[in-house]
Coordinates of all heavy atoms in Angstrom, one line a residue:
R27 N -114.4 127.2 -160.3 CA -115.0 125.9 -160.7 C -116.4 125.8 -160.2 O -117.3 125.3 -160.8 CB -114.1 124.8 -160.2 CG -112.8 124.6 -161.0 CD -112.2 123.3 -160.7 NE -111.8 123.1 -159.3 CZ -110.6 123.4 -158.8 NH1 -109.7 124.0 -159.6 NH2 -110.4 123.3 -157.5
F28 N -116.6 126.3 -158.9 CA -117.9 126.2 -158.3 C -118.9 127.1 -159.1 O -120.0 126.7 -159.4 CB -117.9 126.7 -156.8 CG -119.2 126.8 -156.2 CD1 -120.0 125.7 -155.8 CD2 -119.8 128.1 -156.0 CE1 -121.2 125.9 -155.3 CE2 -121.0 128.2 -155.4 CZ -121.8 127.1 -155.1
V29 N -118.5 128.3 -159.3 CA -119.4 129.2 -160.1 C -119.7 128.7 -161.5 O -120.8 128.7 -161.9 CB -118.8 130.6 -160.2 CG1 -119.6 131.5 -161.1 CG2 -118.7 131.3 -158.8
G30 N -118.6 128.1 -162.1 CA -118.9 127.5 -163.4 C -119.9 126.3 -163.3 O -120.7 126.2 -164.2
W31 N -119.7 125.5 -162.3 CA -120.6 124.4 -162.1 C -122.0 124.8 -161.9 O -123.0 124.4 -162.5 CB -120.1 123.5 -161.0 CG -121.1 122.4 -160.6 CD1 -121.3 121.2 -161.2 CD2 -122.0 122.4 -159.5 NE1 -122.3 120.5 -160.6 CE2 -122.8 121.2 -159.5 CE3 -122.3 123.4 -158.5 CZ2 -123.7 121.0 -158.6 CZ3 -123.3 123.1 -157.6 CH2 -124.0 121.9 -157.6
L32 N -122.1 125.8 -160.9 CA -123.4 126.3 -160.6 C -124.1 127.0 -161.8 O -125.3 126.9 -162.1 CB -123.3 127.3 -159.4 CG -124.6 127.7 -158.7 CD1 -125.4 126.6 -158.2 CD2 -124.3 128.7 -157.6
G33 N -123.2 127.8 -162.5 CA -123.7 128.5 -163.7 C -124.2 127.6 -164.7 O -125.0 128.0 -165.6
G34 N -123.8 126.3 -164.7 CA -124.2 125.3 -165.7 C -125.7 125.1 -165.6 O -126.3 124.7 -166.6
F35 N -126.2 125.2 -164.4 CA -127.7 125.0 -164.3 C -128.5 126.2 -164.8 O -129.7 126.2 -165.0 CB -128.0 124.8 -162.8 CG -127.5 123.5 -162.3 CD1 -126.4 123.4 -161.5 CD2 -128.2 122.3 -162.5 CE1 -125.9 122.2 -161.1 CE2 -127.7 121.1 -162.0 CZ -126.6 121.1 -161.3
G36 N -127.8 127.4 -164.9 CA -128.5 128.6 -165.1 C -129.0 129.2 -163.8 O -129.1 128.5 -162.8
C37 N -129.1 130.5 -163.8 CA -129.5 131.1 -162.5 C -130.8 130.6 -162.0 O -131.0 130.3 -160.8 CB -129.5 132.6 -162.7 SG -127.9 133.3 -163.2
A38 N -131.8 130.5 -162.9 CA -133.1 130.0 -162.4 C -133.1 128.6 -161.9 O -133.7 128.2 -160.9 CB -134.1 130.1 -163.6
A39 N -132.3 127.8 -162.7 CA -132.2 126.4 -162.3 C -131.5 126.2 -160.9 O -131.9 125.4 -160.1 CB -131.4 125.6 -163.3
A40 N -130.5 127.1 -160.6 CA -129.9 127.0 -159.3 C -130.8 127.4 -158.2 O -130.9 126.8 -157.2 CB -128.7 128.0 -159.4
G41 N -131.6 128.5 -158.5 CA -132.6 128.9 -157.5 C -133.6 127.8 -157.2 O -134.0 127.5 -156.1
Y42 N -134.1 127.1 -158.3 CA -135.1 126.1 -158.1 C -134.5 124.9 -157.4 O -135.2 124.3 -156.5 CB -135.6 125.6 -159.5 CG -136.7 124.6 -159.4 CD1 -138.0 124.9 -159.0 CD2 -136.4 123.2 -159.7 CE1 -138.9 123.9 -158.9 CE2 -137.3 122.2 -159.6 CZ -138.6 122.6 -159.2 OH -139.6 121.6 -159.0
A43 N -133.2 124.6 -157.6 CA -132.6 123.5 -156.9 C -132.6 123.8 -155.4 O -132.8 122.9 -154.6 CB -131.2 123.2 -157.5
V44 N -132.2 125.0 -155.0 CA -132.2 125.3 -153.6 C -133.6 125.3 -153.0 O -133.8 124.8 -151.9 CB -131.5 126.7 -153.4 CG1 -131.6 127.2 -152.0 CG2 -130.1 126.6 -153.9
F45 N -134.5 125.8 -153.8 CA -135.9 125.8 -153.3 C -136.4 124.3 -153.0 O -136.9 124.1 -151.9 CB -136.8 126.4 -154.4 CG -138.3 126.2 -154.2 CD1 -139.0 126.9 -153.2 CD2 -139.0 125.2 -154.8 CE1 -140.4 126.7 -153.0 CE2 -140.3 125.0 -154.6 CZ -141.0 125.8 -153.7
Q46 N -136.2 123.4 -153.9 CA -136.6 122.0 -153.6 C -135.8 121.4 -152.4 O -136.4 120.7 -151.7 CB -136.3 121.2 -154.9 CG -137.2 121.5 -156.0 CD -138.6 120.9 -155.8 OE1 -138.9 120.2 -154.8 NE2 -139.6 121.3 -156.6
S47 N -134.6 121.8 -152.3 CA -133.8 121.2 -151.2 C -134.3 121.7 -149.9 O -134.5 120.9 -148.9 CB -132.3 121.6 -151.3 OG -131.8 121.1 -152.5
L48 N -134.6 123.0 -149.8 CA -135.1 123.5 -148.5 C -136.5 123.0 -148.2 O -136.8 122.8 -147.0 CB -135.2 125.0 -148.6 CG -133.8 125.7 -148.5 CD1 -133.9 127.2 -148.7 CD2 -133.1 125.4 -147.2
V49 N -137.3 122.8 -149.2 CA -138.7 122.3 -148.9 C -138.5 120.9 -148.3 O -139.3 120.5 -147.4 CB -139.5 122.2 -150.2 CG1 -140.7 121.3 -150.0 CG2 -139.9 123.6 -150.7
G50 N -137.5 120.1 -148.7 CA -137.4 118.8 -148.2 C -136.7 118.7 -146.8 O -136.9 117.8 -146.0
V51 N -136.0 119.8 -146.4 CA -135.2 119.7 -145.2 C -135.8 120.6 -144.1 O -135.5 120.4 -142.9 CB -133.7 120.0 -145.4 CG1 -133.1 119.1 -146.4 CG2 -133.6 121.5 -145.8
L52 N -136.6 121.6 -144.4 CA -137.2 122.4 -143.4 C -138.0 121.6 -142.5 O -138.8 120.7 -142.9 CB -138.0 123.6 -144.0 CG -137.1 124.7 -144.6 CD1 -138.1 125.7 -145.3 CD2 -136.3 125.4 -143.6
P53 N -138.0 121.8 -141.2 CA -138.7 121.0 -140.2 C -140.2 121.1 -140.4 O -140.7 122.2 -140.7 CB -138.2 121.5 -138.9 CG -137.7 122.9 -139.1 CD -137.2 122.9 -140.5
Q54 N -140.9 120.0 -140.1 CA -142.4 120.0 -140.2 C -143.0 120.9 -139.1 O -144.2 121.3 -139.3 CB -142.9 118.6 -140.0 CG -142.4 117.7 -141.2 CD -143.0 118.0 -142.5 OE1 -144.1 118.6 -142.5 NE2 -142.3 117.7 -143.6
E55 N -142.3 121.2 -138.0 CA -142.9 122.0 -137.0 C -143.2 123.4 -137.4 O -144.0 124.1 -136.7 CB -141.9 122.1 -135.8 CG -141.8 120.8 -135.0 CD -140.9 119.8 -135.8 OE1 -140.2 120.2 -136.7 OE2 -140.9 118.6 -135.4
I56 N -142.6 123.9 -138.5 CA -142.9 125.3 -138.9 C -144.4 125.2 -139.3 O -144.8 124.4 -140.2 CB -142.1 125.7 -140.1 CG1 -140.6 125.9 -139.6 CG2 -142.6 127.0 -140.7 CD1 -139.7 126.3 -140.7
S57 N -145.2 126.2 -138.8 CA -146.6 126.1 -138.9 C -147.0 126.4 -140.3 O -146.7 127.4 -140.9 CB -147.3 127.1 -137.9 OG -146.9 128.4 -138.2
G58 N -147.7 125.4 -140.9 CA -148.3 125.6 -142.2 C -147.3 125.4 -143.4 O -146.2 125.8 -143.3
D59 N -147.9 124.8 -144.4 CA -147.1 124.6 -145.6 C -146.7 126.0 -146.2 O -145.7 126.1 -146.9 CB -147.8 123.8 -146.6 CG -148.0 122.3 -146.2 OD1 -147.2 121.9 -145.3 OD2 -148.8 121.6 -146.7
A60 N -147.6 127.0 -146.1 CA -147.3 128.3 -146.7 C -146.0 128.9 -146.2 O -145.2 129.4 -146.9 CB -148.5 129.2 -146.4
A61 N -145.8 128.7 -144.8 CA -144.6 129.3 -144.2 C -143.4 128.6 -144.8 O -142.4 129.2 -145.1 CB -144.7 129.2 -142.7
R62 N -143.4 127.2 -144.8 CA -142.3 126.4 -145.3 C -142.0 126.8 -146.7 O -140.8 127.0 -147.1 CB -142.5 124.9 -145.1 CG -142.6 124.5 -143.7 CD -143.0 123.0 -143.5 NE -142.2 122.1 -144.3 CZ -142.6 121.4 -145.3 NH1 -143.8 121.5 -145.7 NH2 -141.8 120.5 -145.9
Y63 N -143.1 126.8 -147.5 CA -142.8 127.2 -149.0 C -142.4 128.6 -149.1 O -141.6 128.9 -150.0 CB -144.1 127.0 -149.8 CG -144.3 125.5 -150.1 CD1 -145.2 124.7 -149.4 CD2 -143.7 125.0 -151.2 CE1 -145.3 123.4 -149.7 CE2 -143.8 123.6 -151.6 CZ -144.7 122.8 -150.8 OH -144.8 121.5 -151.1
G64 N -142.8 129.5 -148.3 CA -142.3 130.9 -148.4 C -140.8 131.0 -148.1 O -140.1 131.7 -148.8
I65 N -140.4 130.3 -147.0 CA -139.0 130.4 -146.7 C -138.1 129.8 -147.8 O -137.1 130.3 -148.3 CB -138.7 129.7 -145.4 CG1 -139.4 130.4 -144.2 CG2 -137.2 129.5 -145.1 CD1 -139.3 129.7 -142.9
A66 N -138.6 128.7 -148.4 CA -137.8 128.0 -149.4 C -137.8 128.9 -150.7 O -136.8 129.0 -151.4 CB -138.5 126.7 -149.8
A67 N -138.9 129.6 -151.0 CA -139.0 130.4 -152.2 C -138.0 131.6 -152.0 O -137.3 131.9 -153.0 CB -140.4 130.9 -152.4
V68 N -138.0 132.2 -150.9 CA -137.1 133.4 -150.7 C -135.7 132.9 -150.8 O -134.8 133.6 -151.4 CB -137.4 134.0 -149.3 CG1 -136.3 135.0 -148.9 CG2 -138.7 134.7 -149.3
S69 N -135.3 131.8 -150.2 CA -134.0 131.3 -150.3 C -133.6 130.9 -151.7 O -132.5 131.2 -152.2 CB -133.8 130.0 -149.4 OG -134.1 130.3 -148.1
G70 N -134.5 130.4 -152.5 CA -134.2 130.0 -153.9 C -134.0 131.3 -154.7 O -133.1 131.3 -155.5
V71 N -134.9 132.3 -154.5 CA -134.7 133.5 -155.3 C -133.3 134.2 -154.9 O -132.6 134.7 -155.8 CB -135.8 134.5 -155.0 CG1 -135.5 135.9 -155.6 CG2 -137.1 134.0 -155.6
G72 N -133.0 134.2 -153.6 CA -131.7 134.8 -153.2 C -130.5 134.0 -153.8 O -129.6 134.7 -154.3
T73 N -130.6 132.7 -153.8 CA -129.5 132.0 -154.5 C -129.4 132.3 -155.9 O -128.3 132.4 -156.5 CB -129.7 130.5 -154.2 OG1 -129.8 130.2 -152.8 CG2 -128.6 129.7 -154.9
G74 N -130.6 132.4 -156.6 CA -130.5 132.6 -158.0 C -129.9 134.0 -158.3 O -129.1 134.2 -159.2
V75 N -130.3 135.0 -157.5 CA -129.7 136.3 -157.7 C -128.2 136.3 -157.4 O -127.4 136.9 -158.2 CB -130.4 137.4 -156.8 CG1 -129.6 138.7 -156.8 CG2 -131.8 137.6 -157.2
A76 N -127.8 135.6 -156.4 CA -126.3 135.5 -156.1 C -125.6 134.8 -157.2 O -124.5 135.2 -157.6 CB -126.1 134.8 -154.7
A77 N -126.1 133.8 -157.7 CA -125.5 133.1 -158.8 C -125.3 134.0 -160.0 O -124.3 134.0 -160.7 CB -126.2 131.8 -159.2
W78 N -126.4 134.7 -160.3 CA -126.4 135.6 -161.5 C -125.3 136.7 -161.3 O -124.5 137.0 -162.2 CB -127.7 136.3 -161.7 CG -127.7 137.3 -162.8 CD1 -127.9 137.0 -164.1 CD2 -127.6 138.7 -162.7 NE1 -127.8 138.1 -164.9 CE2 -127.6 139.2 -164.0 CE3 -127.4 139.6 -161.6 CZ2 -127.5 140.6 -164.3 CZ3 -127.3 140.9 -161.9 CH2 -127.4 141.4 -163.2
L79 N -125.2 137.3 -160.1 CA -124.2 138.3 -159.8 C -122.8 137.7 -159.9 O -121.9 138.4 -160.4 CB -124.4 138.9 -158.4 CG -125.6 139.8 -158.3 CD1 -125.8 140.2 -156.8 CD2 -125.5 141.1 -159.1
A80 N -122.6 136.5 -159.4 CA -121.2 135.9 -159.4 C -120.8 135.7 -160.9 O -119.7 135.9 -161.3 CB -121.2 134.6 -158.6
A81 N -121.8 135.2 -161.7 CA -121.4 134.9 -163.1 C -121.1 136.2 -163.8 O -120.2 136.2 -164.7 CB -122.6 134.1 -163.7
A82 N -121.9 137.2 -163.5 CA -121.7 138.5 -164.2 C -120.3 139.1 -163.8 O -119.6 139.6 -164.7 CB -122.8 139.5 -163.8
L83 N -120.0 139.0 -162.5 CA -118.7 139.5 -162.1 C -117.5 138.7 -162.8 O -116.5 139.3 -163.2 CB -118.6 139.3 -160.6 CG -117.3 139.8 -159.9 CD1 -117.0 141.3 -160.2 CD2 -117.3 139.5 -158.4
L84 N -117.7 137.4 -162.9 CA -116.7 136.6 -163.5 C -116.5 136.9 -165.0 O -115.4 137.0 -165.5 CB -117.0 135.1 -163.4 CG -115.9 134.1 -163.7 CD1 -114.7 134.3 -162.9 CD2 -116.4 132.7 -163.6
R85 N -117.7 137.1 -165.7 CA -117.6 137.5 -167.1 C -116.9 138.9 -167.2 O -116.1 139.1 -168.2 CB -119.0 137.6 -167.7 CG -119.6 136.2 -168.0 CD -120.8 136.3 -168.9 NE -121.9 137.2 -168.3 CZ -122.8 136.7 -167.5 NH1 -122.9 135.4 -167.1 NH2 -123.7 137.6 -167.0
A86 N -117.2 139.8 -166.4 CA -116.6 141.2 -166.5 C -115.1 141.1 -166.2 O -114.3 141.8 -166.9 CB -117.3 142.1 -165.4
R87 N -114.7 140.3 -165.2 CA -113.3 140.2 -165.0 C -112.5 139.5 -166.2 O -111.5 140.0 -166.6 CB -113.0 139.3 -163.7 CG -111.6 139.3 -163.3 CD -111.3 138.4 -162.1 NE -111.5 137.0 -162.6 CZ -111.4 136.0 -161.7 NH1 -111.1 136.1 -160.5 NH2 -111.5 134.7 -162.2

Side-chain angles (χ1 to χ4, degrees):
R27 289 196 297 271
F28 171 75
V29 173
W31 172 81
L32 191 61
F35 292 100
C37 299
Y42 182 73
V44 173
F45 167 79
Q46 287 290 353
S47 300
L48 288 176
V49 168
V51 300
L52 285 174
Q54 296 292 333
E55 287 77 15
I56 295 180
S57 59
D59 289 343
R62 292 171 58 247
Y63 279 97
I65 293 173
V68 169
S69 300
V71 171
T73 300
V75 171
W78 178 82
L79 289 173
L83 179 62
L84 190 61
R85 284 194 302 270
R87 188 185 69 181

